[in-house]
Amino acid sequence: MTNSTARPPAPASFASKVLSSPVPWGLALTALFYVAIPKLPNFADWGQTLFCGHPLAYATTALFWIGIAELGRSWRGLPVQRLGLARAARVEKVPGQPVATAERLLDQLDTKSPALRDTLAFERLRSMARYVRGRRSSDGLTSHLEYLAEFAGERLHNSFALVRTITWAVPILGFLGTVIGITQAISNLDPAKLESSFGMVAGGLGVAFGTTALSLGLSLFLVFGTYLVEKQER
């Protein structure tokens, strides 16, 4: 019988950690977006005003694309997870005593491709079999499976922590821009020179409302994007 004890995963290299992080991908998408703005017909002037009107607009846009990169990373993993779920349902049923069945199930799982072995469905089967093998009995297996289900739900929720943080931070940046813009407008208001100061006041109000509109619009995209991806993962 083959050894079914899983080897600990090799530590990821620095390059792989960087490539798997949404931050560099989000910053790259941000750069491409700003390069594309002047080249988009019927969008260049409006895009320059909305996305380039204040440093906070750049920060808000960068956070948005980092969130999109994180959602994209989760979305790319869905096909293999679906495949793992379908293949796990077709794993050969091995009759016999629980401990022997668990041993044979582990041997069977080890023959699958690494991509399938790393899916959540195969992890669940492996954990179930190891539980039976370790206890030398199937007693308490139902409670163990309930624990695994709760743990999987918590892990799924935690996997979207970065996106939820960004979704919360983007409107905050917009409100900060509102405060800065209104403060700028008030500081530039000169009752003795209303006509000459009107342009500076209008510029401050433009910053105030522009950053707010930008942040609220981008946060809506993130909220619905998170909902769609998380629903598919569940």
Side-chain angles (χ1 to χ4, degrees), residues 23-185:
V23 175
W25 292 105
L27 294 178
L29 290 172
T30 303
L32 290 175
F33 176 74
Y34 277 105
V35 169
I37 285 179
K39 302 177 181 179
L40 296 177
N42 303 322
F43 181 77
D45 293 339
W46 182 74
Q48 290 282 354
T49 302
L50 190 61
F51 292 94
C52 309
H54 193 271
L56 283 176
Y58 290 95
T60 303
T61 305
L63 279 180
F64 168 77
W65 284 112
I66 291 173
I68 291 297
E70 176 68 2
L71 290 177
R73 185 174 64 87
S74 300
W75 184 266
R76 287 196 305 272
L78 289 177
V80 68
Q81 294 293 346
R82 290 195 185 98
L83 178 62
L85 186 60
R87 294 289 179 84
R90 298 202 300 266
V91 168
E92 181 184 355
K93 307 302 186 293
V94 186
Q97 295 299 318
V99 177
T101 299
E103 291 283 1
R104 288 195 290 269
L105 178 58
L106 286 171
D107 291 339
Q108 187 182 161
L109 295 178
D110 284 342
T111 64
K112 305 299 179 181
S113 65
L116 284 178
R117 290 201 302 266
D118 291 339
T119 60
L120 298 177
F122 275 77
E123 284 183 6
R124 185 73 58 88
L125 287 176
R126 191 179 303 108
S127 177
M128 177 182 66
R130 286 174 177 169
Y131 177 85
V132 173
R133 185 184 64 180
R135 290 179 61 91
R136 313 301 297 176
S137 168
S138 61
D139 294 340
L141 181 59
T142 300
S143 298
H144 180 66
L145 291 176
E146 291 175 353
Y147 161 76
L148 291 178
E150 294 176 0
F151 179 76
E154 182 179 353
R155 183 168 66 173
L156 173 63
H157 179 80
N158 292 337
S159 68
F160 288 89
L162 176 61
V163 178
R164 290 192 175 94
T165 302
I166 291 175
T167 305
W168 170 85
V170 164
I172 296 299
L173 285 177
F175 294 141
L176 180 59
T178 302
V179 173
I180 292 175
I182 292 177
T183 303
Q184 179 181 339

